[in-house]
Amino acid sequence: MKNGTLTTKGNHVELRFERRLAHAPEKVWRALTETQELAHWFPARIEGAREAGAGLQFFFEEGAPGAGKLLVFEPPRLLEYTWEGDVLRWELVPEGKGCLLIFTTIPAERANVARDATGWHFCLDNLEAAVDGTPAAGFDKARFSALNAEYAARFGLGSFPAFLTSAANHVAADSLHIPGVEAYVFDGADGTQILLCHAKTDADTDEQWRDADEYLAVLEGSYVLRINGMDMELRAGREFVVPRGARVSGRFSAGTRTMHAFRGRSLGRGGA
């Protein structure tokens, strides 16, 4: 199976790919480490000594270079380095006349996993073509879009991107009153507030009367809305408008992310 898989390990996630290649580890190792070979499939040019502890720089055609560090260099078996906070690990396991390539990456930001999985999938396809001596597939926008949609459906974002979760927008616990839920609020010019919630555990909200309409969208996971005594389970992709005057409470499943838009009492900020 060529698709990547995602597992949770402690407080981070690991993206893993396995590819069986009809070539000896020594040949694949050259494709992983030599500049002229990397050019056929890797998304950036890597500069730096090929030895454990060396600093690395990653150059694209445009923009400032990225930085990293070579952590493990054991030819032709194991290669591991960092790139802008991500950890990339390449293992080659001999299998007959060929080898099993195991690529794992620990992303610095969970929200980027589906995007990264799509990109690495394409890179590995081109790596296979390079060691086979066949032309690279090149960039196919339609295929990229379809593959990204598949990974997004399987993995989700898992969390909000870092630029949305700064301490300046973090809702104070004594203002939200939902233990187990992290929330971030943004204010509109007309007084509307946008609230982003991420349930770290199963969590219940207190029952409240709505004094204004509220827009609710479930981005990931499952949220049970109890409205006027009736339970409605809303899964990812569902939207709902809670009318003014309704009596409501809710229940988050762990991992659920929701978006709420409403007017009324301003939520206080506090340290994340």
Side-chain angles (χ1 to χ4, degrees), residues 148-208:
N148 183 252
E150 179 185 336
Y151 277 120
R154 288 172 54 203
F155 298 161
L157 288 185
S159 62
F160 294 111
F163 72 87
L164 289 176
T165 58
S166 70
N169 296 317
H170 186 261
V171 179
D174 60 1
S175 184
L176 189 65
H177 301 294
I178 313 177
V181 173
E182 288 186 356
Y184 301 86
V185 66
F186 304 84
D187 302 314
D190 64 351
T192 299
Q193 297 179 82
I194 302 294
L195 181 69
L196 303 179
C197 293
H198 186 181
K200 300 298 185 176
T201 64
D202 291 348
D204 294 289
T205 71
D206 294 333
E207 187 173 77
Q208 298 177 342

Side-chain angles (χ1 to χ4, degrees), residues 89-150:
R89 181 182 177 92
W90 310 84
E91 297 179 69
L92 297 175
V93 181
E95 285 190 347
K97 294 182 179 180
C99 68
L100 172 66
L101 167 64
I102 303 170
F103 168 61
T104 55
T105 178
I106 298 172
E109 190 174 342
R110 170 65 176 87
N112 294 336
V113 168
R115 180 203 68 189
D116 290 353
T118 308
W120 286 119
H121 190 117
F122 271 74
C123 288
L124 291 170
D125 285 351
N126 287 333
L127 170 61
E128 285 195 63
V131 295
D132 287 344
T134 58
F139 181 74
D140 182 327
K141 184 161 58 176
R143 182 167 174 261
F144 186 94
S145 178
L147 191 59
N148 183 252
E150 179 185 336

